[in-house]
Every structure is written in C-alpha cells, then in structure tokens.
Amino acid sequence: MNSFLGRPYLDSYSPTADEQYAVNVVELPGGIKKTLFLLEIHEDGVSKLLSSKESLARCDIAVFVYDSSDESSWKRATELLMDVAGDGEDTSYEVPCLIVAAKDDLDSFPMAIQNSTRVSQDMGIEAPIPISSKLSDFNNIFRRIVNAAEHPHLSIPETEAGRSRKQYHRLINRSLMVVSAIVGFAAYHVYAARKNASS
C-alpha cells in the first residue's frame, strides 16, 4: 500500500493491526484513468468481515497477499481465500480474487510453485502474481487489480463444494426440462386423442 501511494520502501517492518486504506489513480493503457481504493484488512479481521451476510457485497475484488518465502504465510492466505470463496458461494456475493506473492526477491519456500499452481487451477483463478517492494518490481499489480474488478467473471474462485452444488443444480434443471417435455408430449397426445374421438 505504501508503494501504491508512492512512498519509498523501508527495511524496517511494523505490522499493522488496524484497517488501513489508500486511494490513488491507476492509469490503464490508452490513457484511461481509474481511481482505486485499497482497504487493508488484517487476517484476523476477515472472520469479522464475513460475519455479516452482505459483507462481500461492498467488495469489488479481494487480494490475498502472502510472503512467498514463508510456507505458513501461503497456507494462511489460501485458507482465507477458501473462506471468502465459500462465503461468496453461500451468500451469492461472489467476489473476484487475486493472489499476490510478495517478497519475490527472496527464495521461495520448497514446493511453492507446485502448491500455488495446484490451488490456482483447482479454484479457476490466476496463479499468484510475484512482486517485490524492495526491488520496486510490482508486475503491474495495480492495473491487474483494476482489470480483475472490471472483468470479475474471469477471477471468481470456485470451491469443490460450490462446483458440486452447481453440477447438482444443472442436473436438476435438465431433469425438470425432460419431465416438462414428457408432460407436454403426453398432454398433446391426450388432446389429440380426445379431438379424434369427438370427430
């Protein structure tokens, strides 16, 4: 968020406990400018956010940032992603999601690429976007956030339970269409038989 506001990278790290926000203009290709409002929610605040049924209705996109050199940070980010995806499926307020792999200047934890590829493919979202604040390499992250918000259908994660529920609903809808067709066909035959009998 500091880089989004044009602040320099600082070696000293002080964790944030409260929500913080930043607002700035992001210039897209073609000179189009969009105002991006970022709200940082500490990982402990996610359960509080999801406690309200309509909490995700206010979100255009959720971005999960983890330390790419720390496996426990990755695991926590994926847990939070699953929580948000599941809540979105349950409440019908599905939110596009991006995963950001911070500290790309450090060595990744073992199995990082395999784990991130598997989770991204399983959930149907983009692989984690590597960035390094220290090297000022942001990989167009702010443009990518805006793009994902403008094209939400491309970045909405899907849990296994959500996939199963959608398949079940498709099966029920197909079954109802077949039953409707059979009932319609039978009604037509009854009508045709009565018409022929009355003639």
Side-chain angles (χ1 to χ4, degrees), residues 57-135:
R58 300 184 313 247
C59 301
D60 291 320
I61 184 166
V63 180
F64 300 86
V65 182
Y66 73 98
D67 178 344
S68 63
S69 66
D70 182 357
E71 188 172 9
S72 64
S73 178
W74 161 252
K75 287 180 179 176
R76 185 64 181 134
T78 56
E79 288 169 3
L80 294 172
L81 171 64
M82 292 292 287
D83 290 346
V84 168
D87 191 75
E89 290 169 346
D90 292 342
T91 62
S92 298
Y93 292 115
E94 295 173 310
V95 177
C97 296
L98 292 178
I99 307 172
V100 174
K103 299 186 181 180
D104 193 42
D105 50 291
L106 301 177
D107 290 333
S108 297
F109 64 87
M111 302 294 291
I113 294 172
Q114 294 89 331
N115 289 351
S116 61
T117 301
R118 180 184 49 78
V119 168
S120 301
Q121 288 176 345
D122 287 351
M123 298 192 81
I125 61 173
E126 184 179 349
I129 303 164
I131 67 166
S132 171
S133 296
K134 187 174 187 175
L135 301 177

Side-chain angles (χ1 to χ4, degrees), residues 7-63:
R7 295 177 182 157
Y9 172 79
L10 299 173
D11 281 323
S12 61
Y13 171 71
S14 55
T16 55
D18 299 325
E19 291 181 354
Q20 294 191 10
Y21 67 91
V23 180
N24 206 341
V25 174
V26 177
E27 189 165 338
L28 302 175
I32 299 168
K33 294 182 179 184
K34 299 283 183 176
T35 301
L36 180 60
F37 177 93
L38 297 177
L39 173 64
E40 178 183 10
I41 300 171
H42 193 268
E43 68 177 281
D44 296 336
V46 173
S47 57
K48 180 182 173 189
L49 172 74
L50 296 179
S51 65
S52 167
K53 184 175 179 174
E54 296 185 357
S55 60
L56 293 178
R58 300 184 313 247
C59 301
D60 291 320
I61 184 166
V63 180

Side-chain angles (χ1 to χ4, degrees), residues 89 94 156-158 160-173:
E89 290 169 346
E94 295 173 310
I156 293 178
E158 192 173 50
E160 186 63 40
R163 236 184 327 279
S164 297
R165 211 174 2 230
K166 284 180 184 174
Q167 288 174 345
Y168 173 76
H169 288 297
R170 271 187 239 130
L171 180 65
I172 293 296
N173 287 339

